[in-house]
Amino acid sequence: MIKKIEDLNYYELLEISTDASSQDIHRAYDRIRKIYEPNSIALYSLFSAEETTSINQRIEDAYRTLVYEESRKRYDALLRQSHQPPPATAAAPLAEKRYQAQPVQPSLSLHSDNRYLKNAEPAQEPLPPPMPAVVIPTPQPIPPTITEFTGSVLKALREQRSITVRTLADMTKLGTRYIDFIEAESFSKLPARPYLRGFLVLYAKALGYESERLVNEYLKRYDAVMNPPKQK
Amino acid sequence: MIEIQDALRKKEIWAVGGGKGGIGKSLITGNIGITLARLKKRVLLVDADLGGANLHTTLGIGVPEMTLSDFLNRRVETIQEVIIKTSIPNLSLVSGAQDFLDAANPNFAQKARLLRHLETLDADYILLDLGAGTSFNILDFFLFADHGILVVLPEPTAIENAYRFIKSAFYRRFKKVVSSQNIKDLIDAAMDQKNSMGIRTPYDLIERIKQLEPESGEGLELEMMKFRPKLIVNQVRTKNDIQIGFSMKSACQKYFGINLEYLGYVEYDDCVWQSIRSKRPLAIEYPYSRPARCIERIVHNVLRKEQLTASMLY
């Protein structure tokens, strides 16, 4: 009945019921992220910096698993299974569990300056054994050739996560038309730059990225076409 | 019908503490008292801040003739004799000890006598204003109350102390329920944050106890569920400050396994400072000010057994 934070399932972590709607999940995620905001003065005396990082990572994992219908179904099935026999991981030492809370998907690790993930990069280490966290649709690792977020790269990243344009539209409240235009880089059909910026932020969040780099790189491409530097 | 009336008549004891000094415990206690008295409840305020009593000042009363030290010192027989009527209908006060040097550290018998007398008093609500710190006396008053209320400021120092207070109160409560000396020693050892057994959180402690004595462990788990301290964030200036209460609530749940109830916050306003300076209670001097409204809301939350939820804010 009383559980350690490492043992909370994703629903308990987000403080929602197992039949929560996707809107509830969005809201819970927003709320819980504010609660565990890494610089919060309410946390540092209880949780160490690493623990806060790991909690935040788990919150991300939980959100990303529950928000997509497919991965949520898989996770629910896993939960139901683990109800009969206690999860094999329950006895695993703490340190190992913490490690498993680290991301299994490449999602955020693109950013070298990401403060959430300072200790998440060791890719050489053997992958942890399958855990609930693995139910996230594991995207292909991003090819190292990607140096820029172009429209086609965005599309590829979206498809890696098996998110359809329709789902993305639901998540971001963007029209499917605009998502298509963004991915096709049909700059002239897209709305003015400030609106586009907002769209891209939403897109980035849906993919699980810090928006800054994605938005800037995309807008640079946009500017090159739409606002070419004035020639003499 | 009679049962309902009995339930209504049952007196409640609220204790207001918080670990750190100067965070508005007395001010909040006094004004909660006034708010309750306005709701036609008979309220008795007890200044249990034995070392540094000043609840009377927040109510605008001069240094009283009869104080708690007369009672503790057995200069009077019953606590009734040290109760002072205030100018506010339904509200009376037992002022804190003023002179008696040892009153800050009453011995066990004195404390027991005080608590025993408090239980016999005829009032709807008894509010205990606790002092700063986490000494045993303060913790015992806090645990004795029906509602233990913690005050914090949105500042690192106050929050640290609040956690320390919760932890100490909780371990003390633990110690009172277990009978085995081994477990008591274990709890003592666990209080030391750098203990050699690797017990860092109450979870670790319970797990350890379960290994040793499964029955006590389960008892303690139950005890953990029953312990529901309440939280007030005072001197709130921004929305982020309000958020701190939710963060503390969630962190307590996930770290300690303790259900902290977030009663509400009190907004920062100069009128509080002005009311203290003029030695007139806030709820009387500025009844429509935002802080006074906040306190009313807190009182309503306690009476309705409700707490603040995030959806009320966003």
Side-chain angles (χ1 to χ4, degrees), chain A residues 1-5 7-8 12-15 31-32 34-37 40-48 51 55 98, chain B residues 154-157 159-160 163 200 203-204 207 221-222 224-225 243-244 246-248 250-252 254-257 310 314:
Chain A
M1 67 183 153
I2 292 175
K3 284 181 166 180
K4 284 191 130 163
I5 190 156
D7 301 335
L8 294 175
E12 293 164 332
L13 190 72
L14 295 183
E15 299 172 7
R31 193 178 63 226
I32 207 96
K34 266 182 221 137
I35 288 178
Y36 287 95
E37 199 264 312
S40 168
I41 56 173
L43 299 180
Y44 74 94
S45 50
L46 295 187
F47 302 109
S48 67
E51 281 171 323
I55 291 171
R98 295 249 164 83
Chain B
E155 291 168 8
T157 41
I159 293 170
E160 271 176 36
Y163 284 139
R200 282 191 51 231
Y203 285 121
D204 298 337
E207 253 165 52
E221 243 177 8
L222 271 179
M224 205 156 171
M225 314 278 270
Q243 183 65 40
I244 284 171
F246 292 114
S247 291
M248 288 185 69
S250 185
C252 262
K254 295 203 162 82
Y255 184 86
F256 291 126
Y314 302 107

Side-chain angles (χ1 to χ4, degrees), chain B residues 167-185:
Chain B
K167 193 172 163 184
S168 312
F170 183 50
Y171 279 173
R172 186 150 176 89
R173 191 174 156 141
F174 259 24
K175 260 182 86 174
K176 285 193 173 169
V177 272
V178 297
S179 45
S180 130
Q181 189 56 42
N182 282 343
I183 304 283
K184 281 190 178 174
D185 291 344

Side-chain angles (χ1 to χ4, degrees), chain A residues 128-146:
Chain A
M131 268 280 293
V134 184
V135 288
I136 304 160
T138 337
Q140 315 300 311
I142 292 167
T145 46
I146 294 184

